[in-house]
Amino acid sequence: MVALPLVFGLLVGSFLNVVIARVPEGRSVWAPRSACPRCGALIGWYDNIPILSFLVLRGRCRGCRAGIPWRYPVVEAATGIAFALAYVLLGPTPEFLVAAALLGALIAITAIDLDHQIIPDVITLPGIAVGVVANSLLPAGVGWLQSLIGVAVGGGLFFVIIILSGGGMGGGDMKLGAMLGAFLGWKLGLLALLLGVLAGGAVAVALLLFGGKGRKEAIPFGPYLALGGAVALLWGDRVLAWYLSRF
Ligand SMILES: [Zn+2]
C-alpha cells in the first residue's frame, strides 16, 4: 500500500523541481513547459519521468548532452520517501495530505536555501495560512489556538535572535519558524527549532574539526530547520512522550 504515496511523492517531487528552479527567479511554475536551459529543447513526458528518466538519460539532456543536476532525482526520491513515511504513520487521512503539503514545502525550501541562501515568502506566507486553517478544521489537529501560538513562538524566537545577533539570521528563517509553528503547534514547533539547532550545531562542529568550509562561509540555517520540522512532524509526538515520561 506504500507504493501509492511513494509514486504520489515522486510526482510531487518532479513538480517541486520546477518550483526550486523557477521561484527564486520569479518565474511562473505553471507555464511555460520545462525546457533544457542550455539548448532550449522542450522536455517530453518520456524524459520527465521521476528518477527513471534521469537514469535512462544518464543525467544528460537528450539533445545537447548538458548535465542535469543531481538535485532533480534527489528531490524526487526525498519527496517519495517522505510521503511514504508520512503515509505509514498517518494512513489514508486528511492529516496525511496536510503532512504531505508541509513536507513538500520543506523540501523545496531546503533546496532553494542551499542554492540561493533565501527562503521565499511565496512558500512560507501561504504555508502559515494553510497550517492555521488545517489545524482549525482537522479533528486530529492541534487546534487554531495552539497553531496561532506556534506562529507567535516560532516567528518570535527568530525575531529575538535577529535583534540580538544583529542580522546573523534572516527574515526568511523567521517566517519558516512561524510556518512550522502554524503546522505543528507551539510544542512540536519548539521541538523542530531545537532539533534544527542541534543538527546545525553538529554539522558546524564537524566542519570546524575536519576542515571543509571555513568559518566565514555562512551555512544557511533553513535546511536544518526544515529537517527539524520534518522529524518533529513525523515522530515529534513520540519524542515528546518519551521525554515527558522521564519525569
Ligand atoms: Zn539541452
Side-chain angles (χ1 to χ4, degrees), residues 35-41 60-67:
C36 170
R38 191 163 98 181
C39 70
R60 300 197 166 277
C61 167
R62 184 181 288 277
C64 70
R65 314 301 298 159

Side-chain angles (χ1 to χ4, degrees), residues 102-103 105-106 109 124 127-128 131 135 142 146-147 150-151 153-155 158 173-194 196 221-222 224-233:
L102 176 58
L103 290 167
L106 293 177
I109 285 169
T124 50
I128 293 169
N135 276 312
V142 294
Q146 294 258 339
S147 175
V151 173
V153 169
F158 279 97
D173 295 306
M174 179 176 76
K175 286 166 232 168
L176 175 54
M179 183 181 94
L180 289 174
F183 273 94
L184 301 171
W186 69 270
K187 288 178 198 159
L188 291 183
L190 274 181
L191 178 67
L193 300 191
L194 177 67
F221 185 57
Y224 300 112
L225 201 48
L227 180 67
V231 172
L233 169 73

